[in-house]
Amino acid sequence: MIVFDNVSKQYKHSNHAALENINLTVEQGEFVFLVGSSGSGKSSLLRLLLKEEKPTSGDVTVDGVNVGKLPNRKVPGLRRTMGIVFQDFRLLPNKTVFDNIAFGMEVIGHNRKEIRERVPEVIDLVDLEGKENRLPNQLSGGEQQRVDIARALLNNPKLILADEPTGNLDPETTDEIMQLLWSICSDYNTTIIMATHDYSIIQKFPSKVLKVEQGKVFETNMAAGII
């Protein structure tokens, strides 16, 4: 699903590479935690997958597509094959739950019939039935994050990138969101890469852990305390 082949990223005016000679593979349907301190290179790795940045050297491949060499005109199409979940939800404050989700389909040209069919499906998937007409300020933090996840699911993505999706949530709500993401991964064979600083999540939901440290990426084992 994802292959980094000798990938390095060097930013201008920086004395150190953000990422250096990265080689890694993520298979379809894997749940992968991405950990590391601020400035370690986690964000650079995610930006390379989205082609918000290009590698200085090496190849980044997502579902058979060499992302770094993809023409800019094809980048929106690439991103439509992915789902993105944010820490701060990024909901439109004056739109209802239904319209926040529908907006993601409207901007890429889906018609009203397609929207009316698909939006209720993802609302059901994230357990928000009955809250379609509520505004974001009428929702809890966990419910707002479920709306964000629903938007990420609209196009049945093979890959979801989740950037600190539980960072603003209390422990109980964090567990609920993690159970939801975990079920999406297992039920739909969706690859999920989740950046997090919360190691307690990794203990509760053991899976592959990639640690980014000083521009290097290596697989580690939380269960064994090697992190």
Side-chain angles (χ1 to χ4, degrees):
M1 178 59 182
I2 295 171
V3 179
F4 278 62
D5 184 12
N6 290 319
V7 172
S8 294
K9 178 61 184 178
Q10 177 82 43
Y11 292 100
K12 292 180 180 179
H13 313 302
S14 175
N15 295 324
H16 304 284
L19 296 169
E20 186 174 4
N21 297 325
I22 304 303
N23 291 281
L24 66 89
T25 300
V26 176
E27 302 294 342
Q28 182 66 47
E30 278 196 292
F31 197 116
V32 179
F33 290 108
L34 189 64
V35 302
S37 60
S38 297
S40 62
K42 296 196 308 300
S43 295
S44 293
L45 192 150
L46 294 175
R47 286 197 292 267
L48 288 173
L49 290 171
L50 289 165
K51 210 199 170 182
E52 291 180 350
E53 301 283 355
K54 291 177 62 176
T56 305
S57 61
D59 295 311
V60 178
T61 304
V62 178
D63 198 23
V65 176
N66 190 321
V67 175
K69 296 180 180 177
L70 194 67
N72 287 337
R73 71 180 185 279
K74 294 188 177 181
V75 172
L78 168 76
R79 293 176 183 167
R80 285 196 289 271
T81 69
M82 304 178 185
I84 304 170
V85 180
F86 303 100
Q87 177 179 350
D88 55 358
F89 317 139
R90 302 194 185 182
L91 304 183
L92 299 167
N94 298 320
K95 287 185 177 291
T96 64
V97 167
F98 187 100
D99 289 340
N100 259 286
I101 298 170
F103 183 72
M105 296 185 72
E106 291 169 357
V107 296
I108 59 175
H110 285 279
N111 61 47
R112 292 305 300 174
K113 181 177 183 295
E114 292 170 323
I115 292 169
R116 285 195 300 270
E117 290 176 352
R118 181 58 178 158
V119 172
E121 291 176 353
V122 294
I123 285 176
D124 181 62
L125 283 174
V126 300
D127 295 325
L128 284 175
E129 305 94 325
K131 298 179 180 177
E132 295 89 339
N133 296 318
R134 295 192 183 182
L135 295 171
N137 65 7
Q138 297 172 312
L139 302 174
S140 67
E143 288 169 339
Q144 291 183 60
Q145 189 59 284
R146 287 173 183 270
V147 177
D148 195 15
I149 293 169
R151 290 189 306 194
L153 293 173
L154 280 172
N155 293 317
N156 296 305
K158 293 182 178 180
L159 170 65
I160 291 177
L161 304 178
D163 190 4
E164 299 279 356
T166 61
N168 292 329
L169 304 177
D170 61 67
E172 182 177 353
T173 307
T174 290
D175 284 351
E176 292 174 0
I177 293 301
M178 283 304 304
Q179 289 284 0
L180 175 58
L181 291 172
W182 199 259
S183 66
I184 290 167
C185 177
S186 60
D187 293 349
Y188 299 97
N189 198 36
T190 303
T191 305
I192 297 181
I193 298 182
M194 175 177 162
T196 184
H197 284 99
D198 189 347
Y199 291 168
S200 67
I201 293 175
I202 301 171
Q203 291 176 319
K204 292 178 181 178
F205 299 87
S207 191
K208 177 186 282 190
V209 180
L210 296 177
K211 185 172 185 178
V212 188
E213 189 173 79
Q214 296 181 339
K216 302 289 188 179
V217 179
F218 55 92
E219 188 170 349
T220 186
N221 188 338
M222 183 65 185
I226 307 170
I227 199 163

